[in-house]
Amino acid sequence: SLHDALPIYGTDATLKGLTGAWKQLTDQKAPPGDRYAAISTKDVVSMLDDSKVAALLAYSRGNQLASDPNNFGPMAGFTEVLASQLIVVGAGTPLQTNNVAWRRDAALIAFRGMPEPPPGLGATRANILDPVSGIVISVLMGYDIRLGGVQVTYELLYGVKTLQAAKITLFRT
């Protein structure tokens, strides 16, 4: 099964579980390099509380023990491990957290600007493209008679598509 080597719901994250996600990607023939993982802040804390991980961090970082999950990346075979408050602990018994590990070319996210408002509405829109990340943010500004002032709205229009499911795996805790 896809998750045999990975932890199960209701457990704390461990470095062994994170390397299990690396193993899963490798077994699914995802090429090495450009591998990332995003784990919940709860799981970062549980991994840092492990005395073996703390000793390894102290040894590998020249006795500069850092509570930064980016240090987990090289230890577990990932380019980078990101701590994210957006990975929430789901309700249920046991508690469920779906951390994710992926290779950069596993999925595609696309952005586009929003259309211009119709003429005569007194509103104007600007679509701004960040040339580095490709993110497009749309800013709409117009007078709102109900509020008696200028309203500014920020919008993102995007879509996500999995390109190769074998290059993405869950790291459940």
Side-chain angles (χ1 to χ4, degrees):
S1 145
L2 177 64
H3 304 291
D4 285 346
L6 303 179
I8 58 172
Y9 289 129
T11 61
D12 284 332
T14 63
L15 186 59
K16 183 178 181 181
L18 187 57
T19 56
W22 171 86
K23 179 186 181 310
Q24 194 71 37
L25 289 173
T26 302
D27 290 349
Q28 293 170 180
K29 310 274 190 272
D34 282 337
R35 291 183 180 186
Y36 299 87
I39 61 176
S40 70
T41 52
K42 165 193 85 73
D43 289 327
V44 169
V45 170
S46 71
M47 289 175 72
L48 289 170
D49 283 345
D50 183 340
S51 60
K52 291 179 184 177
V53 171
L56 186 57
L57 282 172
Y59 177 75
S60 68
R61 297 292 176 189
N63 291 324
Q64 295 177 356
L65 183 61
S67 59
D68 186 347
N70 291 320
N71 295 335
F72 296 144
M75 292 191 312
F78 290 94
T79 303
E80 191 171 357
V81 175
L82 310 163
S84 177
Q85 71 276 16
L86 300 177
I87 298 175
V88 297
V89 179
T93 305
L95 297 176
Q96 301 176 3
T97 308
N98 288 317
N99 301 308
V100 65
W102 72 95
R103 190 165 190 290
R104 187 177 181 110
D105 58 353
L108 174 72
I109 183 167
F111 294 88
R112 68 166 290 201
M114 302 290 283
E116 290 291 326
L121 291 182
T124 185
R125 177 179 308 279
N127 291 308
I128 303 151
L129 167 67
D130 175 19
V132 175
S133 67
I135 294 175
V136 177
I137 186 166
S138 183
V139 182
L140 177 67
M141 186 172 79
Y143 184 78
D144 188 332
I145 196 164
R146 293 170 296 150
L147 298 175
V150 175
Q151 178 179 346
V152 179
T153 306
Y154 298 92
E155 302 167 319
L156 290 174
L157 177 60
Y158 67 94
V160 178
K161 174 69 175 162
T162 300
L163 300 176
Q164 295 177 319
K167 295 180 180 180
I168 303 174
T169 190
L170 290 179
F171 170 39
R172 304 174 300 175
T173 60

